[in-house]
Amino acid sequence: QVQLVESGGGLVQAGGSLRLSCAASGRTFSAYTMGWFRQAPGKERQFVAAVHWSGVSTIYADSVKDQFTLSRDKTKNTVYLQMNSLKPEDTAVYTCAASTRGMSRSPNSYDYWGQGTQVTVSS
């Protein structure tokens, strides 16, 4: 059973930074795509970024492309989302997900989900 546990969320002022972590367990993840999604109150879940566990491919939503950086540490089975220059509109619950179906921006392609971590950016 795959388990994904996020951490690193919190309250930060606009312009600040946070690093989210997603610790994965229960499988060998070499063939997995790891993604981050976010959902603000009253809005649909939005794709943020995804990386293939091999590291050969990383994709970002246009809205965060020059602002967020996704990386992974194979030795720790952990994926990191470094978020810089945060804005109030980045406020959302950020959730990590895993997929065996290749790189995708669609939440429907992801099989496993974490519980989410709240990120709040104050103005």
Side-chain angles (χ1 to χ4, degrees), residues 30 52-55 72-78:
S30 58
H52 193 270
W53 198 257
S54 65
R72 85 271 182 267
D73 184 335
K74 289 182 173 180
T75 64
K76 297 182 179 179
N77 265 9
T78 300

Side-chain angles (χ1 to χ4, degrees), residues 61-78:
D62 288 344
S63 59
V64 305
K65 193 160 47 178
D66 299 318
Q67 184 188 356
F68 293 0
T69 303
L70 187 56
S71 61
R72 85 271 182 267
D73 184 335
K74 289 182 173 180
T75 64
K76 297 182 179 179
N77 265 9
T78 300

Side-chain angles (χ1 to χ4, degrees), residues 27-70:
R27 284 284 192 278
T28 299
F29 291 95
S30 58
Y32 277 65
T33 292
M34 306 298 294
W36 283 95
F37 292 81
R38 66 185 181 185
Q39 188 166 21
K43 295 190 177 181
E44 291 187 355
R45 181 173 281 170
Q46 179 187 31
F47 170 77
V48 175
V51 60
H52 193 270
W53 198 257
S54 65
V56 297
S57 181
T58 307
I59 55 175
Y60 296 91
D62 288 344
S63 59
V64 305
K65 193 160 47 178
D66 299 318
Q67 184 188 356
F68 293 0
T69 303
L70 187 56

Side-chain angles (χ1 to χ4, degrees), residues 55-113:
V56 297
S57 181
T58 307
I59 55 175
Y60 296 91
D62 288 344
S63 59
V64 305
K65 193 160 47 178
D66 299 318
Q67 184 188 356
F68 293 0
T69 303
L70 187 56
S71 61
R72 85 271 182 267
D73 184 335
K74 289 182 173 180
T75 64
K76 297 182 179 179
N77 265 9
T78 300
V79 174
Y80 302 100
L81 183 68
Q82 177 67 43
M83 307 187 297
N84 297 327
S85 302
L86 284 162
K87 310 165 195 173
E89 51 263 44
D90 294 316
T91 295
V93 174
Y94 284 72
T95 307
C96 175
S99 170
T100 58
R101 291 177 252 185
M103 298 293 284
S104 175
R105 300 171 186 265
S106 171
N108 295 330
S109 297
Y110 290 79
D111 308 292
Y112 306 99
W113 293 83

